[in-house]
Amino acid sequence: PSETREREAADRQNALTKPPGSLGVLERLAIRLAGLQDTGRPRADKISIVLFAGDHGVTAQGVSPYPSEVTVQMLQNFTQGGAAISVLARELNASLEVVDAGSLAEADLQGVVADKPRSGTRDFSAEPALTADELAHALAAGQRAVGRALKASPDILVLGEMGIGNTTAAAAIAAALLDLAPLEIVGAGAGLDDDGIRRKASIIADALERHGLVPSGIPPLAVLEAVGGLEIAALAGAMIAAAQARIPVLVDGFIVTAAALAAVRINPSCRDWLIFSHRSFERGHQIVLDALDAEPLLDLRLRLGEGSGAAVAVPLLRLACALHAGMATFDEASVSGPC
Amino acid sequence: PSETREREAADRQNALTKPPGSLGVLERLAIRLAGLQDTGRPRADKISIVLFAGDHGVTAQGVSPYPSEVTVQMLQNFTQGGAAISVLARELNASLEVVDAGSLAEADLQGVVADKPRSGTRDFSAEPALTADELAHALAAGQRAVGRALKASPDILVLGEMGIGNTTAAAAIAAALLDLAPLEIVGAGAGLDDDGIRRKASIIADALERHGLVPSGIPPLAVLEAVGGLEIAALAGAMIAAAQARIPVLVDGFIVTAAALAAVRINPSCRDWLIFSHRSFERGHQIVLDALDAEPLLDLRLRLGEGSGAAVAVPLLRLACALHAGMATFDEASVSGPC
């Protein structure tokens, strides 16, 4: 990020016809985007949304109220325009690419980019979820997706995910990387009851033990091999690639934030490029946000995923940019400053 | 509000392709708008923004870092397009009417509707701010502005304000209506330091005493006469008129919320029509929100006024409506429900 652009943007904000600081987070967003985009005119007009989907072997243990087949059904719903993120992409005039990074689909799905080393992860309650090669493929799939998205020169990249069982993988990754008891971070996901949540936490705790992930200090790639997800690894790869290409990423909820934690552990310099869109209703999200020193823009009790929370935050970025560019200064408007 | 429409909308939300409740506040917004607008297809497309401005005699006591002349200067900035709300109105494709409900301007201002019983209130530290006739004029001015706005059949009305010194009047109104010590509710306004805040609280405390407003229980109209503002009274009149016309109102920050408190005390049935847009950084806002049992949509540390926070919340309403109308149901998309 350019400190010069940030300083110039902060000076401009202080000259605009409002008490200094009175646009709060919107001012800071405009200043930060000016630094990230290295421009005096930050923008959030062109939005590329990339969704990564994957299935999870651990669903065999009953960690989700929904069957794994929903992942592939939702991939079709995304491309046919009926899912929440499909509606949001249309409303925001954003592009939407759906990547099958590891669903159980055996055939190609219309409108979906297939880029996967295998169909679904292994059940991490019994064996490592991924081999080193499979993980490398998934990280590179994220990188490839960013490469495709960059062709449209987006101002902002929105990343989302779909995968029945992936709050379980995300909680396992976060617990391992943050050295937390799973019960502290596990939530209801798509709708578990309290017994289900306890069972999910216990499955994760056993797996962390089995794979030698407690106490923590294990390298992040080893954590992703043991308990990761293909879509989660692809998200981490995408964030690192976006940061390297100097494109700000709008981070969605619990699962994308867990992927962000892994990405930042793999490559700490990508942190600067991550803008956290919302605080999910999923219980562990706040813990992972805190670990990343992230203060999200919205708190709307969303817990859907698909990049939906990040998409809902896009208008805030757009309005922040419009205010930065469009407001008059005290001089221009002949308005008096403080006495 | 139509309970039937709300029930139908809730049923539709539960049939859409997402875990029930997973769109959180966005679901509840769509359901509430369906009830308020009495429709199966709630909308937030057509937005009318109405800004009321007024000046305050109490500024003679040094309660604001800005001189009163800024109110009129900002009226011109609003109509010339350089203020925050001007930019937001353009971005949202919303109409913007600016009403001089009581500024110090003696001549008509281009593009501003003048509808005021006097220029500025009297200094409430020395005498009542308004007579009963002046207050009645201001309440009716709010009603008249809503009448004009309704000609465009807006889906939502956004109300905002401008007036140097008006956090002082708003805090006095709220302290009187809620029986609070002014120091509990007074904030920095446009930028007072701690000494200034204490001084402002002490001026209000003395005024409440002088006008016989402590202990509370004084009728809201008497409170508005003693320590009110012309723009604040107009806002209260506008909210009551909007509720009577069955148009939802998006409420802005501290001052509009204090006006909402007065409106609800005058006419409790208007509460249903008020949607609270954001939690302002101004200290007393949370207290008044709590008194109205209001949970705002955004918390962006805004403290500008002008209706800016309400305007920034408009895209959330639009996206909530788009999701409600545009998402596929489980049946339509052939997606499986919970196991």
Side-chain angles (χ1 to χ4, degrees):
Chain A
S2 160
E3 285 180 26
T4 307
R5 293 295 192 177
E6 285 196 3
R7 209 163 37 239
E8 286 167 4
D11 288 346
R12 175 165 171 79
Q13 282 288 337
N14 284 334
L16 298 176
T17 45
K18 58 183 172 50
S22 62
L23 282 173
V25 171
L26 299 179
E27 296 189 17
R28 296 206 292 275
L29 263 180
I31 292 166
R32 191 163 164 216
L33 285 175
L36 293 173
Q37 297 176 342
D38 194 11
T39 175
R41 180 82 190 258
R43 290 176 197 276
D45 299 329
K46 289 178 77 171
I47 306 289
S48 292
I49 305 174
V50 183
L51 273 193
F52 297 97
D55 273 307
H56 293 265
V58 72
T59 52
Q61 306 305 317
V63 293
S64 175
Y66 290 83
S68 281
E69 69 203 47
V70 168
T71 304
V72 173
Q73 290 168 347
M74 285 301 295
L75 281 172
Q76 292 174 310
N77 198 21
F78 295 145
T79 59
Q80 284 162 13
I85 194 62
S86 323
V87 173
L88 294 170
R90 283 198 297 274
E91 290 296 311
L92 297 171
N93 197 22
S95 68
L96 173 62
E97 179 177 282
V98 182
V99 179
D100 180 355
S103 82
L104 290 176
E106 292 299 348
D108 280 358
L109 298 164
Q110 205 185 348
V112 173
V113 177
D115 188 357
K116 58 187 185 183
R118 56 180 283 118
S119 295
T121 56
R122 295 174 194 84
D123 178 356
F124 71 58
S125 75
E127 55 187 326
L130 297 168
T131 65
D133 281 354
E134 288 161 356
L135 173 59
H137 184 122
L139 289 162
Q143 199 168 24
R144 285 187 286 269
V146 168
R148 290 190 299 276
L150 291 187
K151 286 184 191 147
S153 303
D155 300 315
I156 306 278
L157 194 62
V158 166
L159 297 179
E161 48 58 47
M162 171 68 211
I164 297 301
N166 67 6
T167 60
T168 302
I173 292 165
L177 293 176
L178 300 175
D179 204 8
L180 294 169
L183 199 56
E184 287 182 62
I185 199 164
V186 160
L192 287 180
D193 61 13
D194 286 350
D195 279 351
I197 290 173
R198 272 190 294 271
R199 192 175 145 69
K200 180 171 161 183
S202 143
I203 289 165
I204 293 173
D206 290 350
L208 297 186
E209 190 82 38
R210 164 189 293 269
H211 299 301
L213 301 180
V214 279
S216 74
I218 310 296
L221 293 176
V223 170
L224 291 176
E225 278 180 48
V227 296
L230 290 161
E231 81 283 37
I232 296 175
L235 284 164
M239 285 184 237
I240 292 168
Q244 285 167 342
R246 305 185 164 276
I247 302 293
V249 172
L250 204 44
V251 175
D252 193 39
F254 178 59
I255 293 136
V256 183
T257 305
L261 179 64
V264 169
R265 290 291 175 94
I266 294 167
N267 186 337
S269 65
C270 75
R271 171 65 184 85
D272 278 349
W273 302 87
L274 306 178
I275 298 172
F276 291 84
S277 64
H278 79 116
R279 176 178 297 116
S280 164
F281 198 62
E282 176 70 9
R283 187 159 160 267
H285 195 199
Q286 183 62 55
I287 296 170
V288 188
L289 288 168
D290 287 344
L292 287 163
D293 195 21
E295 204 178 337
L297 301 170
L298 295 170
D299 188 353
L300 296 171
R301 303 190 193 181
L302 309 179
R303 51 181 175 83
L304 175 58
E306 303 181 3
S308 57
V312 171
V314 165
L316 294 186
L317 273 62
R318 287 181 172 167
L319 293 175
C321 292
L323 289 162
H324 188 75
M327 282 181 71
T329 62
F330 280 95
D331 279 354
E332 286 164 358
S334 303
V335 172
S336 307
C339 307
Chain B
S2 159
E3 284 179 28
T4 307
R5 293 295 193 176
E6 286 196 3
R7 208 162 38 239
E8 286 167 2
D11 288 346
R12 173 163 173 79
Q13 282 289 336
N14 285 333
L16 298 177
T17 45
K18 58 182 170 54
S22 61
L23 282 172
V25 171
L26 299 179
E27 296 188 16
R28 297 207 291 275
L29 264 179
I31 293 165
R32 191 162 164 214
L33 284 175
L36 292 173
Q37 295 176 343
D38 194 11
T39 175
R41 180 83 190 256
R43 290 176 198 275
D45 298 329
K46 289 178 77 171
I47 306 290
S48 292
I49 305 174
V50 183
L51 273 193
F52 297 97
D55 273 307
H56 294 266
V58 71
T59 53
Q61 306 305 318
V63 293
S64 174
Y66 290 83
S68 281
E69 67 202 49
V70 168
T71 304
V72 174
Q73 291 168 346
M74 285 301 295
L75 281 172
Q76 292 174 311
N77 198 21
F78 295 145
T79 58
Q80 285 162 13
I85 193 62
S86 322
V87 173
L88 294 169
R90 284 199 296 275
E91 291 294 312
L92 297 171
N93 197 22
S95 68
L96 173 61
E97 180 177 282
V98 182
V99 180
D100 180 355
S103 83
L104 290 176
E106 292 299 349
D108 281 358
L109 298 164
Q110 206 184 348
V112 174
V113 177
D115 189 356
K116 58 187 185 182
R118 56 179 284 119
S119 295
T121 56
R122 295 175 195 82
D123 179 357
F124 71 59
S125 75
E127 56 188 325
L130 297 168
T131 65
D133 281 354
E134 289 161 355
L135 173 60
H137 183 122
L139 289 162
Q143 199 170 22
R144 284 187 286 270
V146 169
R148 291 190 298 276
L150 291 186
K151 287 184 191 148
S153 303
D155 300 315
I156 306 280
L157 194 62
V158 166
L159 297 179
E161 48 58 46
M162 170 69 211
I164 297 299
N166 68 4
T167 60
T168 302
I173 293 164
L177 293 176
L178 300 175
D179 204 8
L180 293 169
L183 200 55
E184 287 181 62
I185 198 164
V186 161
L192 287 180
D193 61 14
D194 286 350
D195 279 352
I197 290 173
R198 273 190 293 272
R199 192 175 146 70
K200 179 172 162 183
S202 144
I203 289 165
I204 294 171
D206 290 350
L208 297 185
E209 190 81 37
R210 164 188 294 267
H211 299 301
L213 302 181
V214 277
S216 75
I218 311 295
L221 294 175
V223 171
L224 290 176
E225 278 180 49
V227 297
L230 291 160
E231 81 283 38
I232 296 174
L235 284 163
M239 285 184 238
I240 292 167
Q244 285 167 343
R246 305 184 166 274
I247 303 294
V249 172
L250 202 45
V251 176
D252 192 39
F254 178 59
I255 293 136
V256 183
T257 305
L261 179 65
V264 169
R265 290 291 174 94
I266 294 168
N267 186 336
S269 65
C270 73
R271 171 63 185 85
D272 279 347
W273 302 87
L274 306 179
I275 298 172
F276 292 84
S277 63
H278 79 115
R279 177 178 296 118
S280 163
F281 197 63
E282 176 70 9
R283 186 158 161 268
H285 195 199
Q286 182 63 53
I287 296 169
V288 188
L289 288 168
D290 287 345
L292 287 162
D293 196 18
E295 202 178 338
L297 301 171
L298 295 170
D299 188 352
L300 296 172
R301 304 191 192 179
L302 308 179
R303 52 182 175 82
L304 175 58
E306 302 180 5
S308 56
V312 170
V314 165
L316 293 186
L317 274 63
R318 289 182 171 167
L319 293 176
C321 292
L323 288 161
H324 189 75
M327 282 181 71
T329 62
F330 280 95
D331 279 354
E332 287 163 357
S334 304
V335 172
S336 308
C339 307

